[in-house]
């Protein structure tokens, strides 16, 4: 399905990002996996069977200069790239009343500006040569329905708007879609109290938990030609949790 494609994945070393990398490799694509954690990105490289199709790169997606340097590397070594998954993000699980100014900046820099930087520089490479490509942006149900962490919810709502606007700006060459999962069992969710998780999941109409591989299934579908008629769309994977 993704055979011979080449995909950049941010936040690639754990959770949903790691599963996306795994499935892309399994489906025959090459992957450039980015993460801020040097040890985790090394472990990712070591753990993947198809490691000769996996390239790793350490960077902070919120730092413009680092992202620009990364895309210089892409233009030199992987100019045939045709997919981007903006997945890197942080969640502090805080009430807006408790946020410090530097914490607000950190969440928005990673969860919003990082997506902007990667989308901008990726699209320039493809549009200059009028090549087809795909961007998949990781949002959240929090961006659709709101969040007890208002800054996180704001950041994920921004990604929905960014995805729609980029779908317009990059057409007809680059398709841009968003994925908005419900609560998924990843290290990011460790900050949520167990009682809150139970309460939240009790509203789901489907009892089967959403796992990282389920989200990756949707992402790889959107990267593939099977989704060739989708752009500017949001895929909310939430077990029907907001239908009543």
């Amino acid at each position: 399905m993704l055979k011979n494609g080449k995909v950049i994945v941010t936040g690639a070393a754990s959770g949903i990002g790691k599963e996306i990398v795994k499935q892309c490799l399994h489906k025959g694509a090459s992957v450039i996996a980015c993460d801020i954690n040097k040890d985790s990105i090394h472990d990712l490289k070591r753990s993947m069977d198809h490691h000769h199709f996996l390239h790793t790169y350490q960077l902070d997606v919120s730092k413009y200069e680092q992202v620009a340097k990364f895309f210089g590397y892409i233009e030199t070594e992987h100019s045939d790239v045709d997919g981007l998954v903006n997945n890197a993000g942080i969640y502090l699980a805080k009430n807006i009343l408790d946020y410090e100014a530097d914490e607000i900046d950190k969440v928005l820099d990673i969860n919003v500006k990082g997506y902007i930087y990667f989308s901008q520089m990726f699209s320039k490479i493809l549009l200059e040569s009028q090549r087809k490509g795909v961007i998949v942006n990781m949002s959240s149900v929090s961006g659709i329905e709101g969040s007890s962490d208002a800054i996180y919810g704001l950041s994920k709502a921004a990604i929905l708007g960014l995805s729609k606007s980029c779908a317009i700006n990059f057409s007809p060459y680059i398709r841009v879609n968003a994925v908005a999962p419900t609560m998924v069992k990843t290290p990011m969710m460790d900050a949520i109290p167990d009682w809150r998780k139970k309460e939240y999941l009790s509203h789901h109409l489907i009892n089967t938990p959403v796992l990282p591989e389920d989200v990756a299934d949707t992402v790889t579908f959107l990267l593939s030609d099977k989704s060739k008629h989708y752009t500017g769309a949001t895929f909310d994977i939430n077990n029907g949790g907001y239908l009543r």
Side-chain angles (χ1 to χ4, degrees):
M1 184 164 67
L2 301 179
K3 193 171 180 61
N4 301 321
K6 187 169 283 188
V7 182
I8 298 168
V9 181
T10 69
S14 66
I16 292 171
K18 185 175 182 178
E19 190 62 35
I20 292 169
V21 171
K22 181 179 178 181
Q23 289 200 26
C24 285
L25 292 171
H26 180 71
K27 295 176 188 296
S30 297
V31 178
I32 304 101
C34 306
D35 203 278
I36 194 172
N37 190 307
K38 183 177 181 179
D39 292 336
S40 295
I41 206 79
H42 176 74
D43 291 342
L44 176 73
K45 178 78 171 179
R46 188 173 53 189
S47 68
M48 294 294 171
D49 294 336
H50 302 80
H51 59 84
H52 47 291
F53 291 121
L54 175 62
H55 311 272
T56 56
Y57 196 102
Q58 182 194 10
L59 85 165
D60 181 341
V61 300
S62 70
K63 305 299 184 185
Y64 186 88
E65 295 79 8
Q66 292 186 29
V67 178
K69 182 179 179 181
F70 168 74
F71 275 96
Y73 157 76
I74 291 295
E75 288 193 87
T76 302
E77 302 293 335
H78 304 287
S79 59
D80 55 341
V81 66
D82 57 5
L84 166 64
V85 181
N86 280 313
N87 172 71
I90 60 169
Y91 173 65
L92 301 186
K94 299 185 71 167
N95 187 296
I96 189 172
L97 301 177
D98 299 324
Y99 262 94
E100 301 291 341
D102 61 329
E103 293 174 324
I104 295 171
D105 289 343
K106 184 175 182 178
V107 172
L108 298 183
D109 285 350
I110 295 171
N111 291 9
V112 180
K113 288 184 181 179
Y115 285 52
I116 295 170
Y117 299 157
F118 268 77
S119 297
Q120 179 192 61
M121 297 184 203
F122 171 83
S123 65
K124 282 182 178 179
I125 293 174
L126 273 69
L127 294 177
E128 285 176 0
S129 55
Q130 297 186 341
R131 290 196 293 114
K132 297 281 186 178
V134 184
I135 298 174
V136 182
N137 291 323
M138 193 62 60
S139 181
S140 166
V141 68
S142 298
I144 301 173
E145 304 293 345
S147 172
S148 56
D149 182 333
I151 307 304
Y152 179 78
L154 177 159
S155 73
K156 291 304 181 181
I159 296 311
L160 300 179
L162 177 68
S163 299
K164 293 175 183 179
S165 296
C166 287
I168 297 168
N169 291 328
F170 301 159
S171 68
Y173 298 105
I174 303 173
R175 295 187 295 106
V176 187
N177 294 293
V179 177
T182 184
M183 191 179 292
V184 181
K185 187 171 178 55
T186 66
M188 184 182 286
M189 293 299 101
D190 291 343
I192 303 175
D194 288 341
W195 69 265
R196 180 67 181 103
K197 294 176 187 176
K198 185 176 180 179
E199 179 186 65
Y200 183 84
L201 295 173
S202 70
H203 294 285
H204 285 196
L205 301 181
I206 298 171
N207 293 328
T208 307
V210 178
L211 302 176
E213 50 263 42
D214 300 318
V215 181
D217 283 339
T218 300
V219 171
T220 53
F221 164 73
L222 290 171
L223 289 170
S224 77
D225 287 339
K226 289 187 176 182
S227 64
K228 62 186 176 184
H229 297 297
Y230 292 102
T231 195
T234 299
F235 288 70
D236 50 337
I237 312 171
N238 63 25
N239 278 342
Y242 290 91
L243 291 181
R244 50 184 163 207

Coordinates of all heavy atoms in Angstrom, one line a residue, residues 103-182:
E103 N 5.2 27.5 30.3 CA 4.5 26.3 30.0 C 3.6 26.5 28.8 O 3.5 25.6 28.0 CB 3.8 25.7 31.2 CG 4.7 25.3 32.4 CD 4.0 24.9 33.6 OE1 2.9 25.6 33.9 OE2 4.4 24.0 34.3
I104 N 2.9 27.6 28.8 CA 2.0 27.9 27.7 C 2.8 27.9 26.4 O 2.5 27.3 25.4 CB 1.3 29.2 27.9 CG1 0.3 29.1 29.1 CG2 0.5 29.6 26.7 CD1 -0.2 30.5 29.5
D105 N 3.9 28.6 26.4 CA 4.8 28.7 25.3 C 5.3 27.3 24.8 O 5.3 27.0 23.6 CB 6.0 29.6 25.6 CG 5.7 31.1 25.7 OD1 4.6 31.5 25.2 OD2 6.5 31.8 26.3
K106 N 5.7 26.5 25.8 CA 6.2 25.2 25.4 C 5.1 24.3 24.7 O 5.4 23.7 23.7 CB 6.7 24.5 26.7 CG 7.3 23.1 26.4 CD 7.9 22.5 27.6 CE 8.7 21.2 27.3 NZ 9.3 20.6 28.5
V107 N 3.9 24.3 25.2 CA 2.9 23.5 24.6 C 2.6 24.0 23.2 O 2.5 23.3 22.2 CB 1.6 23.5 25.5 CG1 0.4 22.8 24.7 CG2 1.8 22.8 26.8
L108 N 2.4 25.3 23.0 CA 2.1 25.9 21.7 C 3.2 25.8 20.8 O 3.0 25.6 19.6 CB 1.6 27.3 21.9 CG 0.3 27.5 22.7 CD1 -0.1 29.0 22.7 CD2 -0.8 26.7 22.2
D109 N 4.5 25.9 21.3 CA 5.6 25.8 20.4 C 5.7 24.4 19.8 O 6.0 24.3 18.6 CB 6.9 26.1 21.1 CG 7.1 27.6 21.4 OD1 6.3 28.4 20.8 OD2 8.0 28.0 22.2
I110 N 5.5 23.4 20.6 CA 5.6 22.0 20.1 C 4.4 21.6 19.3 O 4.5 21.1 18.2 CB 5.9 21.0 21.3 CG1 7.3 21.4 21.9 CG2 5.9 19.6 20.8 CD1 7.5 20.6 23.2
N111 N 3.2 21.8 19.9 CA 2.0 21.3 19.4 C 1.4 22.0 18.2 O 0.6 21.5 17.5 CB 0.9 21.2 20.5 CG 1.2 20.2 21.6 OD1 2.3 19.6 21.6 ND2 0.3 19.9 22.4
V112 N 1.9 23.3 18.1 CA 1.3 24.1 16.9 C 2.5 24.5 16.0 O 2.5 24.2 14.8 CB 0.5 25.3 17.4 CG1 0.0 26.1 16.2 CG2 -0.6 24.9 18.3
K113 N 3.5 25.2 16.6 CA 4.5 25.8 15.7 C 5.3 24.6 15.0 O 5.7 24.8 13.9 CB 5.5 26.7 16.5 CG 4.9 28.0 16.9 CD 5.9 28.9 17.6 CE 5.3 30.2 18.0 NZ 6.3 31.0 18.7
G114 N 5.5 23.5 15.8 CA 6.2 22.4 15.1 C 5.5 21.9 13.9 O 6.2 21.6 12.9
Y115 N 4.2 21.8 14.0 CA 3.4 21.4 12.8 C 3.5 22.4 11.7 O 3.6 22.0 10.5 CB 2.0 21.2 13.2 CG 1.6 20.0 14.0 CD1 2.3 19.7 15.2 CD2 0.6 19.1 13.7 CE1 2.0 18.6 16.0 CE2 0.3 18.0 14.4 CZ 1.0 17.8 15.6 OH 0.7 16.6 16.3
I116 N 3.5 23.7 12.0 CA 3.6 24.7 11.0 C 5.0 24.6 10.3 O 5.1 24.6 9.0 CB 3.4 26.1 11.6 CG1 2.0 26.2 12.1 CG2 3.7 27.2 10.6 CD1 1.8 27.5 13.0
Y117 N 6.1 24.5 11.1 CA 7.4 24.5 10.5 C 7.5 23.3 9.5 O 8.0 23.4 8.4 CB 8.5 24.4 11.6 CG 8.5 25.5 12.6 CD1 9.1 25.4 13.8 CD2 8.0 26.8 12.2 CE1 9.1 26.4 14.7 CE2 8.1 27.8 13.1 CZ 8.6 27.7 14.4 OH 8.7 28.7 15.3
F118 N 7.2 22.1 10.0 CA 7.3 20.9 9.2 C 6.4 21.0 7.9 O 6.8 20.6 6.8 CB 7.0 19.7 10.0 CG 8.2 19.1 10.6 CD1 8.7 19.6 11.8 CD2 8.9 18.0 10.1 CE1 9.9 19.1 12.4 CE2 10.0 17.4 10.7 CZ 10.5 18.0 11.9
S119 N 5.2 21.5 8.1 CA 4.3 21.5 6.9 C 4.8 22.5 5.9 O 4.8 22.2 4.7 CB 2.9 22.0 7.4 OG 2.3 21.0 8.3
Q120 N 5.3 23.6 6.4 CA 5.8 24.7 5.5 C 7.0 24.1 4.6 O 7.1 24.2 3.4 CB 6.2 25.9 6.3 CG 6.8 27.0 5.4 CD 7.5 28.1 6.3 OE1 8.4 27.8 7.1 NE2 7.0 29.3 6.2
M121 N 8.0 23.6 5.3 CA 9.2 23.2 4.7 C 9.1 21.9 3.8 O 9.7 21.8 2.8 CB 10.3 23.0 5.7 CG 10.7 24.3 6.4 SD 12.1 24.1 7.6 CE 11.7 25.5 8.7
F122 N 8.2 21.0 4.3 CA 7.9 19.8 3.5 C 7.2 20.2 2.2 O 7.5 19.7 1.1 CB 7.0 18.9 4.3 CG 6.4 17.7 3.6 CD1 7.2 16.5 3.4 CD2 5.1 17.7 3.1 CE1 6.6 15.5 2.7 CE2 4.6 16.7 2.4 CZ 5.4 15.5 2.2
S123 N 6.2 21.1 2.3 CA 5.4 21.4 1.1 C 6.3 22.2 0.1 O 6.0 22.0 -1.1 CB 4.2 22.3 1.5 OG 4.6 23.5 2.1
K124 N 7.2 23.0 0.6 CA 8.0 23.7 -0.4 C 8.8 22.7 -1.3 O 8.9 23.0 -2.5 CB 9.0 24.6 0.4 CG 8.4 25.9 0.9 CD 9.4 26.8 1.6 CE 8.7 28.1 2.0 NZ 9.7 29.0 2.7
I125 N 9.3 21.7 -0.7 CA 10.1 20.7 -1.5 C 9.2 20.1 -2.6 O 9.6 20.0 -3.7 CB 10.6 19.6 -0.6 CG1 11.7 20.1 0.4 CG2 11.2 18.4 -1.4 CD1 12.2 19.1 1.4
L126 N 8.0 19.7 -2.2 CA 7.1 19.0 -3.2 C 6.5 20.0 -4.2 O 6.4 19.7 -5.4 CB 6.0 18.3 -2.5 CG 6.4 16.8 -2.0 CD1 7.4 16.8 -0.9 CD2 5.1 16.1 -1.6
L127 N 6.1 21.2 -3.7 CA 5.4 22.1 -4.6 C 6.3 22.7 -5.7 O 5.9 22.9 -6.8 CB 4.7 23.2 -3.8 CG 3.6 22.8 -2.9 CD1 3.1 24.0 -2.1 CD2 2.5 22.1 -3.7
E128 N 7.6 22.8 -5.3 CA 8.6 23.4 -6.3 C 8.8 22.5 -7.5 O 9.0 22.9 -8.6 CB 9.9 23.6 -5.6 CG 9.9 24.9 -4.7 CD 11.2 25.1 -4.0 OE1 12.1 24.2 -4.1 OE2 11.3 26.1 -3.2
S129 N 8.6 21.2 -7.3 CA 8.7 20.2 -8.3 C 7.4 19.6 -8.8 O 7.3 18.7 -9.6 CB 9.7 19.0 -7.9 OG 9.2 18.5 -6.7
Q130 N 6.3 20.2 -8.2 CA 4.9 19.8 -8.6 C 4.7 18.3 -8.4 O 4.2 17.6 -9.3 CB 4.5 20.2 -10.0 CG 4.5 21.7 -10.1 CD 4.0 22.2 -11.5 OE1 4.0 21.4 -12.5 NE2 3.6 23.4 -11.6
R131 N 5.2 17.8 -7.2 CA 5.0 16.3 -6.9 C 3.9 16.1 -6.0 O 3.6 16.9 -5.1 CB 6.3 15.8 -6.3 CG 7.5 15.7 -7.3 CD 8.6 14.8 -6.7 NE 9.2 15.4 -5.6 CZ 9.2 14.8 -4.3 NH1 8.5 13.7 -4.1 NH2 9.8 15.4 -3.3
K132 N 3.3 14.9 -6.1 CA 2.2 14.5 -5.2 C 2.7 14.1 -3.8 O 3.8 13.6 -3.7 CB 1.4 13.4 -5.8 CG 0.7 13.7 -7.1 CD -0.5 14.4 -6.9 CE -1.3 14.6 -8.2 NZ -2.6 15.3 -8.1
G133 N 2.0 14.4 -2.8 CA 2.4 14.1 -1.5 C 1.2 14.1 -0.5 O 0.1 14.5 -0.9
V134 N 1.5 13.7 0.7 CA 0.4 13.7 1.8 C 1.0 14.2 3.1 O 2.1 13.8 3.5 CB -0.1 12.2 2.0 CG1 -1.2 12.2 3.0 CG2 -0.5 11.6 0.7
I135 N 0.2 14.9 3.8 CA 0.4 15.3 5.2 C -0.7 14.8 6.1 O -1.9 14.9 5.7 CB 0.6 16.8 5.4 CG1 1.7 17.4 4.6 CG2 0.7 17.2 6.9 CD1 1.8 18.9 4.6
V136 N -0.3 14.1 7.2 CA -1.3 13.7 8.2 C -0.9 14.4 9.5 O 0.2 14.2 10.0 CB -1.3 12.2 8.3 CG1 -2.4 11.8 9.4 CG2 -1.6 11.5 7.0
N137 N -1.9 15.1 10.1 CA -1.6 15.8 11.3 C -2.3 15.2 12.5 O -3.5 14.9 12.4 CB -2.1 17.3 11.2 CG -1.3 18.1 10.2 OD1 0.0 17.9 10.2 ND2 -1.9 19.0 9.5
M138 N -1.6 15.0 13.6 CA -2.2 14.3 14.7 C -2.9 15.4 15.6 O -2.2 16.2 16.2 CB -1.2 13.6 15.5 CG -1.8 12.7 16.6 SD -2.8 11.4 15.9 CE -1.6 10.5 14.8
S139 N -4.2 15.4 15.6 CA -5.0 16.3 16.5 C -5.4 15.4 17.7 O -4.7 14.5 18.1 CB -6.1 16.9 15.7 OG -6.9 17.8 16.6
S140 N -6.6 15.7 18.2 CA -7.2 14.9 19.3 C -8.7 15.2 19.4 O -9.1 16.3 18.9 CB -6.5 15.4 20.6 OG -7.2 14.9 21.7
V141 N -9.4 14.3 20.1 CA -10.8 14.6 20.4 C -10.9 15.9 21.2 O -11.9 16.6 21.1 CB -11.4 13.4 21.1 CG1 -10.8 13.2 22.5 CG2 -12.9 13.5 21.2
S142 N -9.8 16.2 21.9 CA -9.8 17.5 22.7 C -9.9 18.7 21.8 O -10.4 19.7 22.3 CB -8.5 17.5 23.5 OG -8.4 16.5 24.4
G143 N -9.4 18.6 20.6 CA -9.5 19.7 19.6 C -10.9 19.9 19.1 O -11.2 20.9 18.5
I144 N -11.8 18.8 19.2 CA -13.1 18.9 18.7 C -14.1 19.2 19.8 O -15.0 20.0 19.7 CB -13.5 17.5 18.0 CG1 -12.6 17.2 16.9 CG2 -15.0 17.5 17.6 CD1 -12.8 15.8 16.3
E145 N -13.9 18.5 20.9 CA -14.9 18.6 22.0 C -14.4 19.4 23.2 O -15.2 19.7 24.1 CB -15.2 17.2 22.5 CG -15.7 16.3 21.4 CD -17.1 16.7 20.9 OE1 -17.8 17.5 21.5 OE2 -17.5 16.1 19.8
G146 N -13.2 19.9 23.2 CA -12.6 20.6 24.4 C -11.9 19.7 25.3 O -12.0 18.4 25.2
S147 N -11.2 20.3 26.2 CA -10.3 19.5 27.2 C -10.3 20.2 28.5 O -10.4 21.4 28.6 CB -8.9 19.4 26.6 OG -8.0 18.8 27.5
S148 N -10.1 19.4 29.6 CA -9.9 20.0 30.9 C -8.6 20.7 31.0 O -8.4 21.6 31.8 CB -9.9 18.9 32.0 OG -9.0 17.9 31.7
D149 N -7.7 20.4 30.1 CA -6.4 21.1 29.9 C -6.6 22.1 28.7 O -6.5 21.6 27.5 CB -5.2 20.2 29.6 CG -3.9 20.9 29.4 OD1 -3.9 22.1 29.0 OD2 -2.9 20.3 29.7
A150 N -7.0 23.3 29.0 CA -7.4 24.2 27.9 C -6.3 24.5 26.9 O -6.6 24.7 25.7 CB -7.9 25.5 28.5
I151 N -5.1 24.6 27.4 CA -4.0 24.9 26.4 C -3.8 23.8 25.5 O -3.6 24.0 24.3 CB -2.7 25.3 27.2 CG1 -3.0 26.3 28.3 CG2 -1.6 25.7 26.3 CD1 -3.6 27.6 27.7
Y152 N -3.8 22.5 26.0 CA -3.7 21.4 25.1 C -4.9 21.3 24.1 O -4.7 21.2 22.9 CB -3.7 20.1 25.9 CG -3.6 18.8 25.1 CD1 -2.4 18.4 24.6 CD2 -4.7 18.0 24.9 CE1 -2.3 17.3 23.8 CE2 -4.6 16.9 24.1 CZ -3.4 16.5 23.6 OH -3.3 15.4 22.8
G153 N -6.1 21.5 24.6 CA -7.3 21.5 23.7 C -7.2 22.6 22.7 O -7.5 22.4 21.5
L154 N -6.7 23.8 23.1 CA -6.5 24.9 22.1 C -5.5 24.5 21.0 O -5.8 24.7 19.8 CB -6.0 26.1 22.8 CG -5.6 27.4 22.1 CD1 -5.6 28.6 23.1 CD2 -4.2 27.3 21.4
S155 N -4.4 23.8 21.4 CA -3.4 23.5 20.5 C -3.9 22.4 19.5 O -3.6 22.5 18.3 CB -2.2 22.9 21.2 OG -2.4 21.6 21.7
K156 N -4.7 21.5 19.9 CA -5.3 20.5 19.0 C -6.4 21.0 18.1 O -6.6 20.5 17.0 CB -5.7 19.3 19.8 CG -4.5 18.5 20.5 CD -3.5 18.1 19.4 CE -2.4 17.3 20.0 NZ -1.4 16.9 19.0
A157 N -7.1 22.0 18.6 CA -8.1 22.6 17.8 C -7.4 23.4 16.7 O -7.9 23.5 15.5 CB -9.0 23.6 18.6
A158 N -6.3 24.0 17.0 CA -5.5 24.8 16.0 C -5.1 23.9 14.9 O -5.0 24.3 13.7 CB -4.3 25.4 16.7
I159 N -4.8 22.6 15.2 CA -4.3 21.7 14.1 C -5.4 21.4 13.2 O -5.1 21.1 12.0 CB -3.7 20.4 14.8 CG1 -2.5 20.8 15.6 CG2 -3.4 19.4 13.8 CD1 -1.5 21.6 14.9
L160 N -6.6 21.3 13.6 CA -7.8 21.1 12.7 C -7.9 22.2 11.7 O -8.1 22.0 10.5 CB -9.1 20.9 13.5 CG -9.1 19.8 14.5 CD1 -10.5 19.8 15.2 CD2 -8.8 18.5 13.8
G161 N -7.7 23.5 12.2 CA -7.8 24.6 11.3 C -6.6 24.6 10.3 O -6.7 24.9 9.1
L162 N -5.4 24.3 10.9 CA -4.2 24.3 10.0 C -4.3 23.2 8.9 O -4.0 23.5 7.8 CB -3.0 23.9 10.9 CG -1.6 23.7 10.2 CD1 -1.2 25.1 9.6 CD2 -0.6 23.1 11.1
S163 N -4.9 22.1 9.2 CA -5.0 21.0 8.2 C -6.0 21.5 7.1 O -5.7 21.2 5.9 CB -5.6 19.8 8.9 OG -4.7 19.3 9.9
K164 N -7.1 22.1 7.4 CA -8.0 22.5 6.4 C -7.4 23.6 5.5 O -7.5 23.6 4.3 CB -9.3 23.0 7.0 CG -10.1 22.0 7.7 CD -11.3 22.5 8.5 CE -12.1 21.5 9.2 NZ -13.2 22.0 9.9
S165 N -6.7 24.6 6.2 CA -6.1 25.7 5.4 C -5.0 25.2 4.5 O -4.8 25.6 3.4 CB -5.6 26.7 6.4 OG -6.6 27.3 7.1
C166 N -4.2 24.2 5.0 CA -3.1 23.7 4.2 C -3.6 22.8 3.1 O -3.0 22.8 2.0 CB -2.1 22.9 5.1 SG -1.1 23.9 6.1
A167 N -4.7 22.2 3.3 CA -5.4 21.4 2.2 C -5.7 22.3 1.0 O -5.6 22.0 -0.1 CB -6.6 20.7 2.7
I168 N -6.2 23.5 1.4 CA -6.5 24.5 0.3 C -5.2 25.0 -0.3 O -5.1 25.1 -1.5 CB -7.3 25.7 0.9 CG1 -8.6 25.2 1.5 CG2 -7.5 26.8 -0.1 CD1 -9.4 26.2 2.3
N169 N -4.3 25.4 0.5 CA -3.0 26.1 0.0 C -2.2 25.2 -0.8 O -1.4 25.6 -1.7 CB -2.2 26.6 1.2 CG -2.9 27.8 1.9 OD1 -3.6 28.6 1.3 ND2 -2.7 27.9 3.2
F170 N -2.2 23.9 -0.5 CA -1.2 22.9 -1.1 C -1.9 22.1 -2.2 O -1.2 21.3 -2.9 CB -0.6 22.0 -0.1 CG 0.1 22.6 1.0 CD1 0.3 21.9 2.2 CD2 0.6 23.9 0.9 CE1 1.0 22.5 3.3 CE2 1.3 24.5 2.0 CZ 1.5 23.8 3.2
S171 N -3.2 22.3 -2.5 CA -3.8 21.6 -3.6 C -3.3 22.1 -4.9 O -2.9 23.2 -5.1 CB -5.3 21.8 -3.5 OG -5.7 23.2 -3.8
P172 N -3.3 21.3 -6.0 CA -3.9 19.9 -6.0 C -2.8 18.8 -5.7 O -3.1 17.6 -5.9 CB -4.3 19.8 -7.4 CG -3.3 20.5 -8.2 CD -3.0 21.7 -7.3
Y173 N -1.6 19.3 -5.3 CA -0.5 18.3 -5.2 C -0.4 17.6 -3.8 O -0.1 16.4 -3.8 CB 0.8 19.0 -5.4 CG 0.9 19.6 -6.8 CD1 0.7 21.0 -7.0 CD2 1.0 18.8 -7.9 CE1 0.7 21.6 -8.3 CE2 1.1 19.4 -9.2 CZ 0.9 20.7 -9.4 OH 0.9 21.3 -10.6
I174 N -0.7 18.3 -2.7 CA -0.5 17.6 -1.4 C -1.9 17.5 -0.7 O -2.5 18.6 -0.5 CB 0.5 18.5 -0.5 CG1 1.8 18.6 -1.2 CG2 0.6 17.8 0.8 CD1 2.8 19.5 -0.5
R175 N -2.2 16.3 -0.4 CA -3.4 16.1 0.4 C -3.1 16.3 1.9 O -2.0 15.8 2.3 CB -4.0 14.7 0.2 CG -4.5 14.5 -1.2 CD -5.2 13.1 -1.3 NE -4.4 12.0 -1.1 CZ -4.4 11.2 0.0 NH1 -5.2 11.5 1.0 NH2 -3.5 10.2 0.0
V176 N -4.0 16.9 2.7 CA -3.7 17.2 4.1 C -4.9 16.8 4.9 O -6.0 17.3 4.7 CB -3.4 18.7 4.4 CG1 -3.0 18.9 5.8 CG2 -2.3 19.2 3.4
N177 N -4.8 15.9 5.8 CA -5.9 15.4 6.7 C -5.4 15.4 8.1 O -4.2 15.3 8.4 CB -6.4 14.1 6.2 CG -7.0 14.1 4.9 OD1 -8.1 14.7 4.7 ND2 -6.3 13.5 3.9
A178 N -6.4 15.4 9.0 CA -6.1 15.3 10.5 C -6.7 14.0 11.1 O -7.8 13.5 10.6 CB -6.7 16.5 11.2
V179 N -6.1 13.5 12.1 CA -6.6 12.4 12.9 C -6.8 12.9 14.3 O -5.9 13.5 14.9 CB -5.6 11.2 12.8 CG1 -6.1 10.0 13.7 CG2 -5.4 10.7 11.4
A180 N -8.0 12.6 14.8 CA -8.3 13.1 16.2 C -8.7 11.9 17.1 O -9.9 11.6 17.2 CB -9.4 14.1 16.1
P181 N -7.8 11.3 17.7 CA -8.1 10.1 18.5 C -8.7 10.5 19.9 O -8.5 11.6 20.4 CB -6.7 9.4 18.7 CG -5.8 10.1 17.8 CD -6.3 11.5 17.6
T182 N -9.4 9.5 20.4 CA -9.8 9.6 21.8 C -8.6 9.3 22.7 O -7.5 9.2 22.2 CB -10.9 8.6 22.1 OG1 -11.4 8.7 23.4 CG2 -10.5 7.1 21.8

